[in-house]
Amino acid sequence: MSSEKEKALQTNHVALVNEDTTPVKEKLDSSGDENEERGNWSNHLDFMLSCVSYAVGLGNVWRFPYLCFSNGGGAFLIPYCIMLLFAGLPLFFLELSFGQYGSNGPISAWRAVPFFRGVGYGMVIVSALVAIYYNVIICYTIFYIIQSMTTTLPWIGCNHKWNGEFCSTLVTECLDNGGIVTVENQCVKIANMTAAEMNQYNVTADGNITDYKDPLASMRIRPSEEYYRQGVLHDSGDIFESGYVIWELALCLLLAWVLVFVCLAKGVKSSGKVVYFTAIFPYVVLFILLIRGVTLDGYMEGVKFFITPRWELLKHPKVWKDAAVQIFYSLSASWGGLITLSSYNKFHNNCFRDAMIVPFINCATSIFAGFVIFSIMGNMAHELKVPVSEVVDEEFGLAFIAYPEAVARLPISPLWSLLFFFMLLTLGLGSQLCIVETVVTSVVDEFPRYLRSRKVWVLAVYSTLGFLLGLNCVTQAGNYWVILMDNYAADFALLIFGLCECIGLGWMYGVRRFFNDIRCMISDRLVDNPLFKWWGVQWCALTPAILSFVLLFNWIDWEVPMAGDKDFPMGAHIIGWIMISSSISAIPAVMIYELVKAEGNIIERFRQATTSKPSWGPALKLHRLEAINVHKSHGTVMGGDLEPGTDRYKDNDVKYSPADADESMV
């Protein structure tokens, strides 16, 4: 090898093992960041907690418990675990490996297969849209935290300006004062009632009201719901009747974006430390709430309602579709965030180990949160003397209506409310940091020469845009926009992205070649294990088949999204389809662009579009050299050049032995 080439390698922190036997891993670790230009996690725990914080979000607390009891209780865990093993885990491992090997965000990573680069654009578009409304939900939690700092929670009782004539607590107060509520919604003292009136309302002559039923029960609204709808949201009743900006929520939204900016200002160096709190604190609160929950009367009824299996529901395709979609939401697969987070790993990090640990932590958290929520819901049902099914709401209703009402019935209720909403804040913030980092990293990685040194400005611009666009979601119609975006921004687009990842890397890039990419990072011993080939079977066959099945039934069983029990106007649905089309359309658009840009007949154009770019591969020359030799010795090619933009080195110019690195990986 010429001295010029040696010098070029050494200027990029390369030492050839032919002349220096010091283990390569020690050299890189001793110098701090392996990739000095882009940066790495300060330590492995930063990465692990970031993955946990990203995956464990608000959906674990409000979405999973609701899906579980509505789709067969304990029986739902069967399709949930099957989807975890055959869809969630394979994609989680694939994305961690893909991002770590190339050290790029979800767009630039597709230099591996440019034909599928549209998948990366789609992921970034989805993340950018979700970040807008997700921070609005975080601003709700900040508002509730502030309102919980009082001696009496504002959603207790019916004597507030936002309460209406059908507030449900009015009935309880009337009964406690020796009266009943009539069909005219008037509280009448039993002592002042005629015999005919008492007979009409099933009140005995001695004043016994055991058989009395509120004649307007179907019209009653819980105080916590009135507070949420009118006290917090100032609900206009229609998505296109925006009214005014609710300044209290606008300030909370501004604070939410300031928190995001401050936590991400120094990239993974700062966010990696924030997650020590956002990832761990929710477990502390969940444990405290569980201990409190199981000491309450009626908690077992709630737990039974949560876990009692209803096997007959497993025959419905919707149950399996809900399990698959929940896995994608729960693990954050196909969002681009896992690729982003792993791209900051050191090259020889054991991504296989990480991919086995985080998903199981996440799913266990969902089940644990279900026990916490339903133990307290059981107590609430016991207090109200109604079935558990009547006190449980879906998603937003569970977090901001049902649970606040439940904690209002506990001693020292402001403390429990403060803990609960602070837990929601940390859960939401942990996920939001990774979502925003995905968008910012993707933009910077596309234009590294101009933006890498100005990354904080990219973050500032996006945070400002996110705040301004989010203002529409804190108007009187804001909650309808949040629900619309929650239903349309991601939905089945995530399944399409996952399917394309399997096709692009498993079929076009080649599963054997991808195995050798992983071999470069985690050692021969793991990849050569016969059981490891099971991942190839999943990426190439089982996972795509399952995702196709779920997509098919998702479209066949498509239900038009609604805002609770209200229909969206047609214009809102059109906007929703524009949102979801904006991400999905990037895939065929880029495919057409790559084919048009290529030369030759259609077969030659397709071959060029699916051939890796010279810049594809590990970030450092040392690791690119290692990858070239590993691929050659196992019958594949790396795809990229040793030095992109220059003549490709011949395979026998430099020899590198990864033995020392391999020994330390398992």
Side-chain angles (χ1 to χ4, degrees):
M1 177 178 133
S2 65
S3 59
E4 290 79 7
K5 290 179 181 178
E6 280 191 10
K7 184 176 180 181
L9 289 172
Q10 290 171 349
T11 57
N12 283 269
H13 311 290
V14 173
L16 302 180
V17 296
N18 310 51
E19 301 172 7
D20 186 349
T21 58
T22 304
V24 174
K25 189 171 185 296
E26 285 183 16
K27 291 190 170 191
L28 293 173
D29 285 347
S30 64
S31 62
D33 282 351
E34 195 175 71
N35 187 337
E36 293 184 352
E37 180 183 357
R38 195 169 183 272
N40 296 107
W41 296 104
S42 298
N43 57 67
H44 179 253
L45 189 58
D46 287 8
F47 168 69
M48 287 292 289
L49 289 178
S50 294
C51 285
V52 170
S53 190
Y54 181 40
V56 178
L58 296 172
N60 295 76
V61 173
W62 69 35
R63 182 176 171 85
F64 175 81
Y66 178 83
L67 286 177
C68 195
F69 93 79
S70 63
N71 284 304
F76 181 70
L77 295 179
I78 294 177
Y80 183 73
C81 291
I82 289 175
M83 291 301 172
L84 169 66
L85 294 175
F86 294 102
L89 267 178
L91 283 173
F92 200 94
F93 181 31
L94 181 145
E95 292 191 8
L96 288 193
S97 304
F98 190 38
Q100 181 173 308
Y101 181 78
S103 296
N104 277 304
I107 297 177
S108 301
W110 284 102
R111 294 168 184 168
V113 190
F115 190 66
F116 281 92
R117 195 171 76 254
V119 176
Y121 285 112
M123 289 176 171
V124 174
I125 292 171
V126 165
S127 294
L129 289 173
V130 169
I132 294 170
Y133 82 81
Y134 205 80
N135 233 20
V136 174
I137 300 173
I138 291 175
C139 100
Y140 292 167
T141 67
I142 294 174
F143 183 84
Y144 269 84
I145 287 172
I146 295 171
Q147 295 301 308
S148 298
M149 296 177 181
T150 179
T151 55
T152 304
L153 294 174
W155 52 87
I156 294 177
C158 293
N159 56 344
H160 305 283
K161 61 181 180 180
W162 50 78
N163 294 124
E165 59 180 332
F166 294 108
C167 181
S168 61
T169 309
L170 290 174
V171 179
T172 305
E173 293 173 353
C174 181
L175 294 176
D176 291 342
N177 290 323
I180 63 167
V181 177
T182 65
V183 72
E184 291 84 15
N185 200 31
Q186 298 294 320
C187 181
V188 178
K189 292 282 188 180
I190 295 177
N192 299 332
M193 296 175 66
T194 65
E197 288 175 330
M198 294 175 70
N199 183 62
Q200 177 185 354
Y201 293 106
N202 296 322
V203 180
T204 62
D206 60 355
N208 189 304
I209 58 173
T210 303
D211 296 326
Y212 166 77
K213 286 184 173 38
D214 178 14
L216 303 175
S218 61
M219 302 172 66
R220 296 296 174 196
I221 304 174
R222 289 178 281 182
S224 58
E225 182 174 356
E226 287 190 321
Y227 177 72
Y228 177 59
R229 301 289 179 201
Q230 304 304 327
V232 179
L233 303 178
H234 301 202
D235 195 342
S236 68
D238 190 286
I239 191 171
F240 292 125
E241 294 182 11
S242 296
Y244 50 83
V245 172
I246 304 163
W247 68 268
E248 298 97 331
L249 292 182
L251 290 177
C252 291
L253 181 62
L254 177 62
L255 176 58
W257 277 109
V258 169
L259 283 173
V260 170
F261 177 80
V262 170
C263 292
L264 292 176
K266 293 185 178 180
V268 295
K269 298 299 184 186
S270 55
S271 66
K273 298 299 178 279
V274 173
V275 295
Y276 280 80
F277 183 73
T278 61
I280 296 173
F281 180 76
Y283 290 98
V284 176
V285 177
L286 282 173
F287 182 74
I288 293 172
L289 292 175
L290 179 65
I291 297 300
R292 181 63 183 129
V294 298
T295 62
L296 299 172
D297 294 334
Y299 84 93
M300 186 53 71
E301 291 306 312
V303 171
K304 287 179 180 178
F305 190 80
F306 173 53
I307 65 173
T308 300
R310 299 187 293 282
W311 303 107
E312 67 278 5
L313 294 182
L314 293 183
K315 64 184 179 183
H316 299 302
K318 178 182 178 298
V319 175
W320 296 82
K321 181 203 77 174
D322 285 347
V325 172
Q326 175 58 19
I327 281 293
F328 273 75
Y329 271 92
S330 188
L331 295 182
S332 300
S334 299
W335 290 76
L338 296 175
I339 297 175
T340 300
L341 294 177
S342 62
S343 72
Y344 291 101
N345 276 333
K346 294 186 176 181
F347 186 73
H348 286 295
N349 174 66
N350 192 334
C351 53
F352 176 76
R353 171 197 58 206
D354 300 341
M356 297 302 103
I357 295 174
V358 175
F360 285 104
I361 291 176
N362 175 73
C363 294
T365 302
S366 295
I367 297 171
F368 181 51
F371 281 100
V372 174
I373 296 298
F374 276 91
S375 65
I376 296 180
M377 291 296 103
N379 171 255
M380 181 175 170
H382 174 79
E383 293 284 334
L384 296 175
K385 296 180 174 55
V386 297
V388 178
S389 58
E390 293 187 15
V391 300
V392 176
D393 281 298
E394 182 177 3
E395 300 194 18
F396 296 110
L398 184 61
F400 298 110
I401 298 175
Y403 205 87
E405 182 176 357
V407 298
R409 298 175 179 277
L410 300 177
I412 326 177
S413 55
L415 172 63
W416 299 111
S417 177
L418 189 64
L419 279 174
F420 176 73
F421 286 108
F422 199 70
M423 177 190 70
L424 288 188
L425 172 62
T426 55
L427 284 172
L429 186 61
S431 297
Q432 178 73 348
L433 294 180
C434 298
I435 293 171
V436 174
E437 181 65 42
T438 297
V439 177
V440 173
T441 294
S442 299
V443 173
V444 170
D445 282 349
E446 281 295 282
F447 309 99
R449 181 178 302 177
Y450 307 104
L451 298 180
R452 183 147 289 159
S453 61
R454 301 177 178 88
K455 185 177 178 180
V456 68
W457 290 106
V458 177
L459 173 63
V461 169
Y462 179 68
S463 298
T464 302
L465 287 174
F467 169 70
L468 294 176
L469 293 172
L471 286 176
N472 186 53
C473 296
V474 291
T475 62
Q476 288 183 276
N479 189 52
Y480 296 104
W481 287 105
V482 171
I483 294 173
L484 185 76
M485 296 178 74
D486 187 49
N487 280 282
Y488 278 108
D491 201 63
F492 61 79
L494 301 178
L495 302 177
I496 294 177
F497 297 157
L499 182 60
C500 288
E501 283 182 303
C502 291
I503 295 173
L505 293 177
W507 297 359
M508 302 298 181
Y509 186 74
V511 70
R512 186 181 171 199
R513 189 174 169 195
F514 193 52
F515 273 7
N516 287 332
D517 288 349
I518 298 172
R519 184 192 304 276
C520 297
M521 298 184 289
I522 67 172
S523 84
D524 291 332
R525 187 162 51 178
L526 278 173
V527 179
D528 287 338
N529 189 305
L531 295 178
F532 197 85
K533 291 181 173 55
W534 174 246
W535 295 104
V537 174
Q538 299 224 69
W539 293 330
C540 293
L542 294 180
T543 302
I546 289 174
L547 294 179
S548 300
F549 161 82
V550 174
L551 268 173
L552 177 64
F553 278 101
N554 192 20
W555 291 330
I556 291 175
D557 227 9
W558 175 259
E559 296 178 359
V560 178
M562 299 175 64
D565 56 356
K566 295 181 180 179
D567 291 318
F568 282 115
M570 181 55 66
H573 289 298
I574 292 173
I575 293 172
W577 280 105
I578 290 174
M579 281 192 289
I580 199 168
S581 299
S582 66
S583 59
I584 296 174
S585 61
I587 299 174
V590 171
M591 288 178 174
I592 294 171
Y593 170 78
E594 290 292 337
L595 291 174
V596 170
K597 186 180 70 171
E599 299 177 350
N601 58 40
I602 188 64
I603 296 177
E604 291 171 340
R605 288 171 183 263
F606 182 75
R607 184 180 295 113
Q608 292 175 44
T610 54
T611 298
S612 301
K613 291 183 177 293
S615 56
W616 164 246
L620 302 183
K621 291 180 186 177
L622 171 67
H623 298 140
R624 297 177 80 87
L625 177 60
E626 177 184 347
I628 288 172
N629 282 279
V630 167
H631 277 280
K632 180 183 177 183
S633 63
H634 290 86
T636 57
V637 293
M638 183 187 80
D641 290 348
L642 181 61
E643 287 189 294
T646 64
D647 293 334
R648 184 191 295 269
Y649 282 105
K650 293 180 181 179
D651 288 335
N652 58 4
D653 276 346
V654 180
K655 295 299 179 185
Y656 172 75
S657 172
D660 290 326
D662 283 348
E663 288 175 3
S664 62
M665 290 301 100
V666 284

